[in-house]
Amino acid sequence: MKTLISKYILAVVTLDPALVGSGGAPVFVARDRAEQDRIATYLARITEGVVHDLENGVYILVKH
Amino acid sequence: MTATLLGIGFGFAARCLMLRSDYRQYPAYPHGYVTHLSLGLIASLLGALAVPALLEREFTAVTFLSLAATQFRDIREIERETLSKLELSKLVARGPDYIEGIARVFEARNYLAMLIALLVSALAYVVNAAAGALLGAFALLAAMHLMRGPVIGQIATVRPARISFKGPNLFVEDIHFMNLAREEVRRTILARGLGVVIEPIDDNAREILANNGQRMAIAHDAATQLGIYRDVDTAEFTPILRRDLDTGRIALLILPLEKDMDCLVQAVKNVPVLESSTSRPLKSRAGRGAAD
């Protein structure tokens, strides 16, 4: 029985702000793919999360 | 007196023989040994005294056995608690099922020491010391060979498998694992990762492998033996096992420090089948009927 929420979105890193609505997680807007990768890497290392690709230019960081 | 001493000797010897320290790392330090050996000694002492006391019409002595049983049940509690707490500092967790299994074994080993002491002292008291010693030697051999559960290699075939990416999605053979965005992570996984597929030989094995605790035990054992290429801040390199829903096959993806496929297959084959994951659907009529 899990009583904790173990998987949740820590942050969103997007190329297009229009694709992400408001929500619980902070949204970081990147200028290009390289910057998106870099921001996602930093955030993943800092938060110990994993970066997933939604394949529409949006990355999400998830705590597993 | 000889009977009691003989009983204690064999009971304690049994506990010593069962105190193996290997890659499971526990117990590994002298303090750990002292704790378990002294409890083993107490167990064999209680066991060895029971029958002579009974024959001398000291019936209260038997109540000590029940006292001992309570005491040893506490051992399971303590082991479980300790190992669960240590779990937080492990890079690859053992999982609750593995911990429960280890805790049960620790408890049972004391009962076994007590039982051997009891049988040996009883026989030595009733027949003679030589008969007791003979039984003791036989019991030690039996304890070493019979107290071993099955391993994954006996319930499943383990073979190497190919790792691939389709876009950001990671697959081992055709089993989907996860979605990974970062190019660097994908390159590392392709370069350093090893995949194996574990195919259950029958429906009983399929249910065992479906158990998440069993899968965690496989990941933990493989990671301890081959080393793990990850740190606390690289969650994406955690070894994972995923199930093929159609066939019940399990695939493991791991990034070992020592990239040696043969050793990995060997390590996976040697993972114990956990008691808590064991189920036998083939023993039921419905399970057998559904199997074909």
Side-chain angles (χ1 to χ4, degrees), chain B residues 99-162:
Chain B
I99 289 180
E100 194 56 42
I102 295 172
R104 269 187 212 169
V105 166
F106 272 117
E107 184 190 9
R109 282 174 177 173
N110 282 307
Y111 291 137
L112 211 61
M114 193 154 81
L115 189 72
I116 289 174
L118 189 127
L119 292 175
V120 169
S121 75
L123 203 67
Y125 196 80
V126 177
V127 187
N128 57 35
L134 199 71
L135 178 74
F138 183 71
L140 286 188
L141 281 177
M144 292 302 288
H145 288 284
L146 296 180
M147 299 307 280
R148 224 168 264 168
V151 291
I152 293 292
Q154 291 168 302
I155 63 150
T157 51
V158 183
R159 57 178 172 77
R162 207 173 69 86

Side-chain angles (χ1 to χ4, degrees), chain B residues 251-273:
Chain B
L252 161 72
L253 169 79
I254 185 171
L255 282 80
L257 278 180
E258 315 276 352
K259 196 180 174 186
D260 187 327
M261 184 51 100
D262 292 339
C263 294
L264 177 64
V265 169
Q266 199 53 48
V268 171
K269 279 182 176 171
N270 285 336
V271 176
V273 172

